[in-house]
Amino acid sequence: MPQSVLAVTSQGPVLGTWQHTTARFLGIPYAEAPVGDLRFAAPVPTKPWTEPLDATEYGPTAQRRPFILDGPTTIPEPSIPGDGVLNLNVFTPDPTPGADLPVLVWIHGGGYVAGSAASPWYDGSAFARDGIVLVSIGYRLGIEGFLHLDDAPDNRGVLDWIAALTWVRDNIDAFGGDPSKVTIAGQSAGGGAAQTLMATPSAHGLFRAAISQSGAVKSPQHRRDALADSTRLTERTGVPALASALRDLTGDELLALQDALATPEAGLTLAPFADGELIPVTVPDAFAEGSAAAVPLMLGFTRREFFPPAGSTPTPVPTEAVDAMLTGHGLGPDAVTMYTALRDRADPSLRMGQALTDAIFRGPSLALAESHAHHELPTWLYHFTWGSAAHCVEIPFAFDLLDAERVTAATGPNPPQSLADAMHGAWVAFIRDLDPGPNWPRYTNKRRTTMTWDAVPEALDDPLSAERRIWTMSPDTP
């Protein structure tokens, strides 16, 4: 039977368990359950308690169904019923106040409409083994988290992230963490969350560094785009985009509305946007103008984020459809022409997958790296190219969890432990020292050094120069 371990937070004591050399505290509430009048409100701090809170099992998730409905997602993402979805998990090697360990706050992905902090791929044991306290957080998703409502605060999911980071600031010392040594990180939507928090002034000071793995944000990301989405929802369903009209709907009824709003060409619809207050300007603009948090940033992407599954028979996509998608993601006519020429010899059946990879992940991240480095801020860029190099495949390498559930289904048999050692070691060094180590030089506007994560990792200068030129010449769609 696992040994119990107690920590005392500002709200009350929590009872976790030791698993080998890691103390695990799961499902700790950082805000009140978002139900009733709180469903579309800003998060409210939890009420205190006196008896030890059972923190031995993962808490409820905002996810009520998988991101992919007709098959398994790459990442195993449990959906756990319950109202108290604003909870977090802490993995620590030393739950002793004053241990002053660096902290990693992990924000899960899932397109801002799905995902789960309870995934075995986000287990913090390897980070704890290496002296890092890992905190993984849940937050409101989809309509509840991100749809603009005239009678509710915007970007409620972002407010949840800030509430979780505030909890970390106020409580992580009880788990051996140093609140002044927090790195925020995430993958896909979670990577976009890290980018968004850097563009959110009220979050500044709650973290000292950021990691964005295959980060994705809404594009375009202006307030008018979010208002248009709300109008579209009402036009398609007849339901007003008001908290008062949505508050008493069931979860299934909200998901049906969400499905009515989502279309393949819409991209990330329910996602953070520049509301002019909490998030003053779009993420690209914040980085370009220098208002994003002036902290060390490590970011990157995989080579084939959106490609057809192995063994499938993809359908060729007309060039016109690819061009329309690129235009919708902010590329101007000259840039679209350059991109078409760059991919002219690509397999037509794979062209859309590569274009989505570039438009959603690689191109915007290259532009952010350029902007951050332009302001002479510490920047490190990576490109994961090993194996399929598909979306999500780099996560178990960064977490050093190659033996976790369903990893080999994503990587194939015998994924190289040497690559996990190198990647995880760089992540640990960055979180601990604000530098991933001497083998990975900074990205600068002169050399543009990019760490290529493959069977033999190699730092290359400007390996994606053609893509970089295309995305840095194209401003966001006006």
Side-chain angles (χ1 to χ4, degrees):
M1 185 174 180
Q3 180 183 353
S4 297
V5 55
L6 189 73
V8 180
T9 74
S10 58
Q11 289 79 33
V14 292
L15 189 67
T17 56
W18 281 101
Q19 187 173 91
H20 305 297
T21 59
T22 302
R24 300 156 55 95
F25 299 86
L26 308 177
I28 302 172
Y30 66 82
E32 288 291 311
V35 295
D37 289 342
L38 299 182
R39 191 174 192 181
F40 297 98
V44 173
T46 53
K47 297 179 178 66
W49 60 85
T50 55
E51 294 299 314
L53 179 75
D54 186 347
T56 61
E57 301 288 343
Y58 285 108
T61 61
Q63 174 179 268
R64 294 291 180 254
R65 68 182 185 192
F67 186 67
I68 298 174
L69 300 180
D70 57 355
T73 54
T74 301
I75 304 172
E77 296 171 314
S79 296
I80 302 174
D83 293 331
V85 300
L86 302 184
N87 66 75
L88 51 78
N89 314 296
V90 181
F91 302 81
T92 176
D94 183 6
T96 304
D100 294 336
L101 298 172
V103 180
L104 174 64
V105 175
W106 179 260
I107 306 172
H108 70 74
Y112 303 101
V113 298
S116 170
S119 173
W121 282 28
Y122 307 147
D123 183 287
S125 298
F127 279 107
R129 176 198 66 205
D130 296 323
I132 307 293
V133 178
L134 184 136
V135 181
S136 57
I137 68 174
Y139 56 96
R140 282 174 284 185
L141 302 169
I143 286 175
E144 290 168 302
F146 299 103
L147 180 69
H148 167 78
L149 305 172
D150 284 343
D151 55 347
D154 283 328
N155 287 302
R156 296 169 295 278
V158 180
L159 292 172
D160 293 344
W161 303 334
I162 295 172
L165 286 168
T166 302
W167 184 96
V168 169
R169 180 196 64 193
D170 296 342
N171 291 283
I172 204 62
D173 177 65
F175 302 87
D178 186 337
S180 70
K181 298 177 181 177
V182 172
T183 295
I184 57 171
Q187 184 267 350
S188 195
Q195 296 174 14
T196 300
L197 286 165
M198 290 183 68
T200 304
S202 58
H204 296 179
L206 294 172
F207 55 92
R208 67 168 187 171
I211 301 173
S212 173
Q213 298 176 211
S214 301
V217 299
K218 183 181 178 73
S219 177
Q221 199 188 25
H222 300 287
R223 186 174 187 273
R224 61 177 174 269
D225 304 304
L227 267 61
D229 293 333
S230 297
T231 300
R232 191 178 305 114
L233 176 74
T234 300
E235 290 173 347
R236 291 180 179 179
T237 67
V239 178
L242 295 168
S244 58
L246 302 175
R247 186 176 294 122
D248 296 327
L249 297 184
T250 67
D252 286 344
E253 288 170 332
L254 272 191
L255 288 173
L257 293 178
Q258 195 166 292
D259 291 341
L261 182 59
T263 56
E265 67 273 10
L268 291 171
T269 301
L270 296 168
F273 62 93
D275 55 42
E277 296 182 8
L278 180 70
I279 307 172
V281 298
T282 67
V283 167
D285 285 350
F287 276 77
E289 70 185 27
S291 63
V295 299
L297 172 65
M298 187 168 84
L299 75 166
F301 34 76
T302 72
R303 182 174 55 192
R304 300 187 182 100
E305 303 274 6
F306 278 167
F307 264 62
S312 64
T313 305
T315 302
V317 176
T319 300
E320 294 77 13
V322 176
D323 291 353
M325 184 277 296
L326 293 169
T327 300
H329 279 85
L331 287 193
D334 291 343
V336 170
T337 299
M338 289 175 62
Y339 188 84
T340 301
L342 179 65
R343 301 285 184 241
D344 183 53
R345 297 183 181 180
D347 183 337
S349 64
L350 302 179
R351 193 174 290 156
M352 181 61 87
Q354 187 61 62
L356 286 167
T357 291
D358 292 335
I360 297 174
F361 301 100
R362 298 206 306 179
S365 289
L366 285 165
L368 291 189
E370 280 287 297
S371 293
H372 210 56
H374 173 75
H375 294 289
E376 299 185 349
L377 294 167
T379 308
W380 288 267
L381 183 70
Y382 74 83
H383 187 205
F384 186 90
T385 58
W386 178 83
S388 68
H391 195 55
C392 306
V393 167
E394 89 288 355
I395 296 173
F397 291 91
F399 272 71
D400 192 13
L401 289 173
L402 297 185
D403 58 351
E405 176 187 348
R406 289 223 305 261
V407 166
T408 54
T411 65
N414 305 313
Q417 182 60 46
S418 59
L419 179 55
D421 292 342
M423 283 189 66
H424 179 72
W427 264 239
V428 168
F430 181 78
I431 297 161
R432 183 188 61 223
D433 306 325
L434 303 181
D435 189 315
N439 294 327
W440 186 352
R442 286 187 188 184
Y443 183 99
T444 67
N445 296 131
K446 290 183 178 180
R447 292 188 57 183
R448 300 184 172 90
T449 303
T450 303
M451 176 57 78
T452 302
W453 292 115
D454 213 313
V456 179
E458 184 178 9
L460 303 174
D461 287 347
D462 207 11
L464 297 170
S465 59
E467 291 87 347
R468 171 182 58 77
R469 291 189 181 97
I470 291 171
W471 261 270
T472 54
M473 71 177 286
S474 295
D476 186 17
T477 302

